[in-house]
Amino acid sequence: GTASLSIREKLQKLRMSKAIKTQSIWTMDLLNLLDQILSPQNDKEDVTNFLSDTQKRCVSLLLCSNKLGVDDSHRALRYYQRAFRTDQWRVKKLFDLARRKGLPMTRVTNMELDFVVGLVSREDVIAMVLIDNNVLSDDLLGERIISYDYGARGDSFAGHYILLCGISTEKKHLDVAKGGEHENDDSGFCFVVKNPGSPNAVDFVMPILFHRSWKANGTDNDIIFIALHDHEHGH
């Protein structure tokens, strides 16, 4: 859904690189950071406003990936090469920590797009997704998307995180999302996306383009679902 914006806005504005203390961000870094932020024991000043917005509600997380670990084959991708050995050890420790803490993680070998659509269509669910920005930004040209400097054009993989905030069936949004290449796409909806590499408050992306960028080699199909619940409904 697109109505409840406060949690999305706060997540969008998190100073992730500073908090994670690495420039080489993996999905486990983000899961660990979200868990720290949402911990009842966390009273740091930089997350006070975030927590006050959700203090009457529970936030639950779920990491889905086709590889709950570090895929050794990624060392061949230029995006990972510079710090792969260091990252491999660090991310393995984060997985071990997450398992000890009981953070919800599940291995899904081939998650269907319809499943993602069904969840992010809800007003209380968003998703943080690892995509190949070369796939996304090569399609969304001009002022609509500014490519992140995660690798040269034509590079094999350029990791990038976006937020799926919901879907839209409005014609004006579909017209923006379709552009030239997808003008014959008859999906009937598009994703509402917050992209740190875009100058726009939100972008609109057709499902076929999202699917290609999410399923690209190097992403492990990583996705973190973030859901709000009333306390009485539990986690």
Side-chain angles (χ1 to χ4, degrees):
T2 57
S4 303
L5 294 177
S6 60
I7 185 172
R8 298 167 192 148
E9 295 294 338
K10 300 299 182 181
L11 284 170
Q12 183 72 17
K13 295 176 182 177
L14 288 175
R15 298 167 184 171
M16 289 182 177
S17 294
K18 180 179 178 181
I20 295 171
K21 299 178 181 178
T22 178
Q23 293 299 314
S24 179
I25 298 175
W26 289 54
T27 305
M28 284 306 297
D29 292 307
L30 300 181
L31 183 68
N32 184 61
L33 175 62
L34 289 169
D35 178 63
Q36 291 179 31
I37 289 171
L38 298 170
S39 169
Q41 288 75 38
N42 193 334
D43 59 356
K44 292 182 180 179
E45 183 178 352
D46 61 343
V47 297
T48 299
N49 293 333
F50 176 88
L51 294 174
S52 66
D53 284 347
T54 60
Q55 62 185 350
K56 295 182 179 180
R57 311 187 76 183
C58 298
V59 180
S60 54
L61 308 171
L62 173 63
L63 167 63
C64 298
S65 176
N66 65 19
K67 181 78 173 180
L68 293 179
V70 177
D71 189 334
D72 287 341
S73 69
H74 290 347
R75 71 173 68 243
L77 298 176
R78 187 183 305 174
Y79 173 79
Y80 290 107
Q81 283 177 350
R82 183 171 61 181
F84 186 84
R85 184 170 297 179
T86 302
D87 285 344
Q88 186 177 34
W89 175 248
R90 179 177 59 79
V91 174
K92 180 182 182 299
K93 287 174 33 177
L94 288 174
F95 270 108
D96 291 342
L97 175 62
R99 291 186 178 101
R100 289 198 302 271
K101 294 167 71 174
L103 296 185
M105 301 183 292
T106 186
R107 183 171 179 263
V108 183
T109 55
N110 188 23
M111 180 178 290
E112 297 291 338
L113 182 65
D114 286 348
F115 181 79
V116 177
V117 173
L119 285 181
V120 300
S121 296
R122 299 165 51 105
E123 291 192 353
D124 57 353
V125 178
I126 60 174
M128 184 178 290
V129 189
L130 175 60
I131 55 97
D132 184 344
N133 203 41
N134 279 338
V135 175
L136 189 70
S137 61
D138 278 347
D139 189 278
L140 302 179
L141 300 175
E143 296 181 356
R144 292 169 56 198
I145 291 290
I146 296 177
S147 178
Y148 246 28
D149 187 20
Y150 282 148
R153 292 281 178 169
D155 198 5
S156 55
F157 175 71
H160 185 54
Y161 290 92
I162 60 174
L163 286 177
L164 296 184
C165 300
I167 66 168
S168 175
T169 58
E170 293 188 34
K171 183 180 183 302
K172 62 181 180 180
H173 296 160
L174 287 168
D175 289 343
V176 171
K178 287 181 179 180
E181 182 177 341
H182 304 289
E183 61 184 3
N184 295 321
D185 190 322
D186 59 356
S187 300
F189 74 93
C190 59
F191 285 105
V192 181
V193 171
K194 284 188 175 292
N195 184 344
S198 169
N200 304 321
V202 295
D203 286 293
F204 303 99
V205 177
M206 293 304 293
I208 188 172
L209 174 57
F210 166 74
H211 190 263
R212 287 208 326 262
S213 62
W214 172 45
K215 294 288 186 174
N217 182 36
T219 68
D220 292 336
N221 305 161
D222 284 359
I223 184 166
I224 302 174
F225 292 105
I226 306 166
L228 283 173
H229 311 275
D230 293 330
H231 275 300
E232 57 267 24
H233 294 150
H235 290 274

